[in-house]
């Protein structure tokens, strides 16, 4: 494998990840984490070297649009207000079964071949020892909350 002029190796993924969770009972009232949240752990990277997430998506399970907030934290048991960092949000579709992708993911630093209409890739880097959490922006449980999924790879 060729190295770059600074002797850096290309980013390699050790093994893939793909998780999907139900957000019926995963709530937080607002963007800022409060002590009574029921955020759900989406990716537990607390004991890994990190991950590169290439896609985050929500699948609607009803006719209501739900806003889903994403957070990173070093905690893997409960999302604490003083440890949570808001990293973005995604709103589900209003037609059952429709998928919405997180279009506001950060751009990657790695150069990419010119493919499609964009000259860059988008991905979310989950740092070593961190976990990715998700919560609907609501104070009540529902029975038609969206599913949230993500796919990428572990380092």
């Amino acid at each position: 494998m060729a190295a770059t002029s600074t002797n850096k190796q290309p980013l390699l993924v050790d093994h893939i990840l793909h998780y999907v969770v139900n957000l019926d009972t995963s709530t937080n009232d607002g963007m800022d984490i409060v002590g009574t949240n029921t955020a759900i752990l989406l990716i537990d990277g607390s004991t890994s070297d990190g991950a590169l997430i290439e896609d985050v998506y929500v699948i609607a399970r009803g006719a209501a649009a739900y806003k889903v907030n994403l957070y990173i934290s070093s905690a893997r048991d409960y999302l604490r207000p003083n440890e949570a960092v808001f990293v973005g949000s995604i709103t589900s579709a209003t037609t059952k079964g429709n998928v919405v992708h997180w279009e506001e993911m950060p751009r990657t630093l790695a150069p990419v071949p010119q493919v499609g209409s964009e000259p860059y890739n988008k991905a979310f880097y989950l740092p070593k020892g961190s976990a990715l959490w998700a919560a609907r922006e609501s104070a009540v449980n529902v029975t038609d909350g969206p599913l949230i999924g993500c796919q990428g790879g572990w380092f």
Side-chain angles (χ1 to χ4, degrees):
M1 179 181 315
T4 64
S5 62
T6 58
N7 204 25
K8 301 282 190 278
Q9 297 296 323
L11 174 66
L12 297 176
V13 171
D14 184 43
H15 56 281
I16 62 167
L17 68 82
H18 190 188
Y19 299 104
V20 180
V21 296
N22 185 325
L23 296 174
D24 283 354
T25 59
S26 174
T27 63
N28 183 62
D29 194 12
M31 184 180 88
D32 296 326
I33 287 295
V34 294
T36 56
N37 76 82
T38 56
I40 192 163
L41 184 61
L42 183 57
I43 301 175
D44 182 3
S46 61
T47 59
S48 75
D49 286 335
L52 189 66
I53 303 162
E54 298 171 324
D55 190 19
V56 177
Y57 58 91
V58 291
I59 303 171
R61 293 178 52 234
Y66 293 106
K67 184 176 181 180
V68 178
N69 293 330
L70 301 167
Y71 305 89
I72 58 171
S73 173
S74 59
R76 61 183 286 199
D77 58 346
Y78 178 73
L79 191 58
R80 293 169 182 80
N82 58 341
E83 295 176 0
V85 178
F86 174 81
V87 294
S89 65
I90 183 171
T91 301
S92 67
T94 56
T95 302
K96 189 175 184 177
N98 280 10
V99 178
V100 176
H101 297 270
W102 185 25
E103 297 296 333
E104 301 303 317
M105 292 180 83
R107 294 179 183 174
T108 61
L109 295 174
V112 297
Q114 181 66 38
V115 179
S117 61
E118 296 186 39
Y120 52 84
N121 284 336
K122 291 184 178 182
F124 183 80
Y125 172 67
L126 186 65
K128 178 179 182 174
S130 297
L132 182 65
W133 293 78
R136 277 184 308 102
E137 195 167 292
S138 175
V140 297
N141 292 338
V142 295
T143 58
D144 65 345
L147 301 175
I148 186 167
C150 63
Q151 70 90 29
W154 296 103
F155 296 134

